[in-house]
Amino acid sequence: MSLGSHVERLPRTPVADAGQRPELVGRARQLREITALLGQGSADSRALLLSGEPGVGKSALLGEVARGMSGAGARVLSAVGVRFESELAYAGLHQLLLPLNDRIGRLEDTHRRVLRSALGYGGDPMPDSLQVSHAVLFLLRQAATERPVFLVVDDLGCFDRASSAVLGFVARRPAGSRIGLLAACRSGAETFFDRAGFTEYELPPLDRDAAVELLGARFPGLTGPARDRVLAQAQGNPLALVELPAALGGPQRDAPADLHDVLPLSPRLRSRHASRVARLPAESRRLLLLLALDDTGDPGVLRAGLRAGSDDPKALTALSAVESDRLITFDDTSRRFVFRHPLMRAAVVEASTLTERCQAHRTLAEIRAQAPERRAWHLGRATLVPDERVAALLEEAGHRAARRGDAAAAVATFTRAAELSPRPGDRGRRLTRAAYLAADATGELRAASELLDRARHADPDLTGSLTAATRVLLLLNGGDGDIDMAHRLLVEAIETGSHGYDAGDDALIETLHVLQLVCWSAGRDALWKPFHAALDRLKPAAPPLLAACLDRLTEPRDVSWDAVRRGRRGGHVRRHIDALMHLCLRDFPAGRWEEAETLAAEGLTICEERQYPFFSWYFEYHQALLAAVRGQFEESRSTADRITQWAVPRGVLAAAGFADHARVLAELGAGDDECAYRHAVAISPAGRLAPHAPYTLWVCMDLVEAAVHTRRTAEAEAHVRALREAGVAALSPRLALLVAGSAALVAPDDDAVGCFEQALAVPGAQDWPFDLARIRLAYGERLRRMRFVTEARTQLEAAAAVFERLGARPWADRATGELRATRRSRTGAKHGSVTLTGQEQEIAVLAASGLTNKQIGERLHLSPRTVGSHLYQLFPKLGIASRAGLRDALASLPGGNAF
């Protein structure tokens, strides 16, 4: 079909304005591309074939495009192919032209008779196909004179032969017709429609982000592991994403351990896919079942699964039947077999019997003899009665899965090991391990609680440190417990346990990690004593990771994005959160504020979705920091208040300290140095560094700056002394910069230049742009007061440029104000014959902006009495009697408005 360059073109679909319907989550790009293809002016531009696997969303996309065309003024004619009507001539055409029946009656005699006969309205013999095609084209072009006509055909593969021929004829007719066509069919499906010369658009599955969004919108209560299984099995197929969870029972939605080899299919999906499996030969079904239960696509599985050699006619026939029915295909890139549709694997499993599945698992266990985890899992699925040998293999496989970070697999494996355990003690121990991982790694509190209850039921005498650790994690993340209660539970379990302080006891070490988290969160020195006592008693020595963890808290670890990507794919959720926490901590001082903002939002989402409310405050803290440095003071303060209100009643004083850090920056940015100082010493008193609160080191320069600006020189000097005596500068390059900057702030004028230059020369100082720019700002302010105006401008300009780039608006304004002051200090401002000194001019400007004498003094390092004295002398010079007249008086000064 050709539309040429005529201006009477079909309207473009208003995708951007229409918005996305719920069923079209993640399809914005495809809508834009389809619209662009339909809007081109080439010969085949207005006929587009949309293909894709069943359930991928072709019908929904057709409907959205049709709504867009209709909204833009086109007449939309639609039809859906129906399989049982595919042998009825012109059945599809009858659907398509139904809205134009009144027009058919007004056609000239020849076209009217042809169409009425073809559509079954008249008694004349069935007309020739070419006559029908010409009549339909004439009818459509007549209708298109009033407004464009857009034909939408769904399930083209079920359209009858006669209607398909007419569609092809209409679609290929000359330009200027203002008739467009969009048709959809299953990928690879045979149709009567001649596709030659037409553009075909393959609709892909949803990407993971869109699949997560769709699943969250339709099933917000689905637990993490169950959600991950649905995502893995659906592989982005929208129909599967909304049908698979609907087929899950309550236990399967809540407890990851209860999920089977594949998720069950809903009746709708079963009827759609199971029939293709049922008609295969038994040997074909057996081979497919091996591939489905192995789920790797490894060709070796298929080869090993054959009952005879590759030249066995029966085996070759089985493979041929599977390939000819297009159920699987071989991916040349990955060198793996893949099911052509994501739900076919589930259909294969559902079509099998329990006996067939057990036999397949036994075969796979033999094939996977060199892969301990896979072998154990297949043996576990093939075993239907308690068997300690298999249970022990599964337990070891669970430990392997946990060590590599696949927490969901570990939980399921430990749970299956417990189910096959003959002895109650073993069953309880293995269920406790599963419960701990569910609480610590996956955040599935309901599943963890149920697993722990099952462990107690299996072994009523069950005690131990891991049980206590699990209870504490449930207590903290449940939101009702407090730090002191959690601390008591852990310390009692450790001190009364039968572990003998063996450093090789995994349960003891994991419990100590939980105790460490509790102590750090408490922010109180006294709670650390039992932890250090236990660490000293470990034999032969404490694991390096546990002993060194406190040192790593001083500065963020070198966490790669790979850790975040692994977490996003659904493995160890706690590691995902931990990686996000450290990346936020690294990004903020490094000036990557937009990235930090994105990561903090992701962290909050993970905490909410995966039941980790205990860690939400940390990401809120970063949001409060970012709001503070950007000048969004009220937002920062309210977020900090929310953190404190949550933390203090629960005894999480570390969170309250972090909130104070955000408050310090907000008040420094707002110019309230007195308030900033109060919040800084609430974190760490001047001259004292809390031994178990490394975050106190991050605010060391903030405290010193606030102390200097509020004329607390002794306190500022005491804090710098404490930093030096503790050797803080040796802990990290950033802390070296903060200590050097703090020392420069308290240095007397005679030593100031040398101290500031030393700070600027700290190796790697450029890696911390916000901190470095603040030091340059303070350096520039000191140089200006010392009358080194040119040198001051150099530092202030460099600082202002960095603040502008970062978006640190309050500090950028402050640096710019200082730059203006350097220009004013060269010559006094005159009012008539009266000259104002540079300092008088600056005090007048600040007073006119609304600052109090105290705030002006803090900003200019003067006493409030000195500020008042200057103002007393200024008023008569400017011819005014009060502050109210300052703005107008300054605006009238030669050289323009000071504002």
Side-chain angles (χ1 to χ4, degrees), residues 423-702:
R423 293 185 293 271
D426 293 331
R427 193 178 312 127
R429 186 187 76 254
R430 288 160 179 162
L431 283 170
T432 300
R433 170 65 62 176
Y436 171 77
L437 284 171
D440 178 62
T442 70
E444 299 302 326
L445 301 188
R446 186 184 303 174
S449 181
E450 290 176 0
L451 288 167
L452 194 59
D453 287 343
R454 288 168 60 183
R456 290 170 181 152
H457 181 75
D459 184 5
D461 298 327
L462 184 68
T463 57
S465 56
L466 201 61
T467 302
T470 306
R471 289 177 61 196
V472 164
L473 291 170
L474 291 172
L475 181 71
L476 295 180
N477 284 308
D480 296 327
D482 61 34
I483 285 292
D484 290 323
M485 183 186 301
H487 188 266
R488 285 196 299 272
L489 287 171
L490 291 169
V491 171
E492 181 181 354
I494 292 170
E495 292 180 348
T496 61
S498 58
H499 42 68
Y501 290 93
D502 179 7
D505 188 318
D506 289 342
L508 172 62
I509 299 305
E510 285 163 346
T511 305
L512 284 170
H513 276 294
V514 178
L515 178 59
Q516 184 182 61
L517 170 66
V518 167
C519 294
W520 183 83
S521 302
R524 284 169 278 160
D525 293 349
L527 268 62
W528 283 98
K529 293 178 181 178
F531 173 81
H532 288 299
L535 223 60
D536 292 340
R537 296 181 66 181
L538 286 177
K539 297 182 246 181
L545 186 63
L546 187 64
C549 192
L550 285 178
D551 295 333
R552 294 201 315 274
L553 291 174
T554 302
E555 283 293 284
R557 289 189 287 121
D558 185 16
V559 177
S560 72
W561 269 94
D562 287 340
V564 176
R565 294 188 188 99
R566 287 194 299 270
R568 285 173 179 163
R569 288 194 296 267
H572 200 300
V573 183
R574 261 294 303 280
R575 291 182 185 176
H576 186 187
I577 291 175
D578 185 61
L580 290 172
M581 291 169 69
H582 282 279
L583 283 175
C584 284
L585 192 61
R586 185 188 70 181
D587 283 346
F588 177 76
R592 294 187 288 269
W593 291 354
E594 290 185 1
E595 180 178 295
E597 184 176 31
T598 300
L599 293 175
E602 180 179 346
L604 279 173
T605 299
I606 295 295
C607 289
E608 180 181 350
E609 290 181 350
R610 304 306 287 266
Q611 301 180 29
Y612 277 106
F614 185 76
F615 297 100
S616 293
W617 67 265
Y618 187 85
F619 299 108
E620 290 185 315
Y621 153 70
H622 278 282
Q623 291 180 333
L625 278 185
L626 292 168
V629 294
R630 289 168 172 168
Q632 300 158 351
F633 302 130
E634 288 308 312
E635 179 182 340
S636 179
R637 290 167 183 143
S638 64
T639 303
D641 289 345
R642 186 166 61 249
I643 294 171
T644 302
Q645 290 162 7
W646 174 88
V648 171
R650 292 169 174 79
V652 189
L653 299 188
F658 277 77
D660 273 326
H661 181 200
R663 292 188 182 99
V664 170
L665 281 180
E667 301 309 333
L668 284 175
D672 192 341
D673 297 311
E674 178 64 36
C675 192
Y677 179 78
R678 289 200 303 271
H679 289 305
V681 295
I683 299 171
S684 176
R688 180 176 177 272
L689 305 176
H692 294 105
Y695 53 89
T696 61
L697 303 180
W698 309 337
V699 297
C700 63
M701 193 170 75
D702 302 326

Side-chain angles (χ1 to χ4, degrees), residues 287-516:
L287 293 177
L288 279 179
L289 184 60
L290 288 176
L291 285 175
L293 294 179
D294 179 71
D295 196 29
T296 66
D298 183 358
V301 171
L302 208 55
R303 288 194 296 269
L306 294 173
R307 289 175 174 167
S310 59
D311 57 345
D312 186 345
K314 186 177 181 181
L316 294 176
T317 300
L319 287 174
S320 176
V322 171
E323 290 182 328
S324 64
D325 207 28
R326 298 172 58 83
L327 298 182
I328 61 172
T329 187
F330 188 73
D331 188 330
D332 289 328
T333 302
S334 64
R335 311 301 295 172
R336 290 285 187 268
F337 283 103
V338 294
F339 284 93
R340 293 190 65 89
H341 192 277
L343 295 179
M344 192 52 64
R345 176 172 171 256
V348 169
V349 175
E350 285 214 352
S352 65
T353 65
L354 176 61
T355 301
E356 289 171 336
R357 290 194 294 275
C358 288
Q359 180 57 51
H361 278 300
R362 281 192 288 271
T363 300
L364 288 168
E366 294 174 6
I367 294 172
R368 296 299 188 188
Q370 302 305 313
E373 281 186 57
R374 286 188 171 274
R375 176 173 178 266
W377 179 253
H378 287 301
L379 285 174
R381 302 306 291 177
T383 305
L384 302 180
V385 296
D387 186 321
E388 178 56 28
R389 181 185 69 86
V390 176
L393 290 173
L394 283 167
E395 183 175 17
E396 178 56 34
H399 284 297
R400 288 173 180 266
R403 284 194 291 270
R404 73 166 190 272
D406 192 348
V411 171
T413 305
F414 280 119
T415 303
R416 184 60 181 159
E419 292 167 351
L420 295 178
S421 301
R423 293 185 293 271
D426 293 331
R427 193 178 312 127
R429 186 187 76 254
R430 288 160 179 162
L431 283 170
T432 300
R433 170 65 62 176
Y436 171 77
L437 284 171
D440 178 62
T442 70
E444 299 302 326
L445 301 188
R446 186 184 303 174
S449 181
E450 290 176 0
L451 288 167
L452 194 59
D453 287 343
R454 288 168 60 183
R456 290 170 181 152
H457 181 75
D459 184 5
D461 298 327
L462 184 68
T463 57
S465 56
L466 201 61
T467 302
T470 306
R471 289 177 61 196
V472 164
L473 291 170
L474 291 172
L475 181 71
L476 295 180
N477 284 308
D480 296 327
D482 61 34
I483 285 292
D484 290 323
M485 183 186 301
H487 188 266
R488 285 196 299 272
L489 287 171
L490 291 169
V491 171
E492 181 181 354
I494 292 170
E495 292 180 348
T496 61
S498 58
H499 42 68
Y501 290 93
D502 179 7
D505 188 318
D506 289 342
L508 172 62
I509 299 305
E510 285 163 346
T511 305
L512 284 170
H513 276 294
V514 178
L515 178 59
Q516 184 182 61

Side-chain angles (χ1 to χ4, degrees), residues 782-803:
R782 179 73 72 92
L783 288 169
R784 187 182 67 79
R785 289 201 311 274
M786 295 166 63
R787 306 298 183 186
F788 298 128
V789 177
T790 301
E791 294 82 355
R793 288 182 63 81
T794 299
Q795 299 301 329
L796 294 171
E797 286 170 350
V802 172
F803 292 140

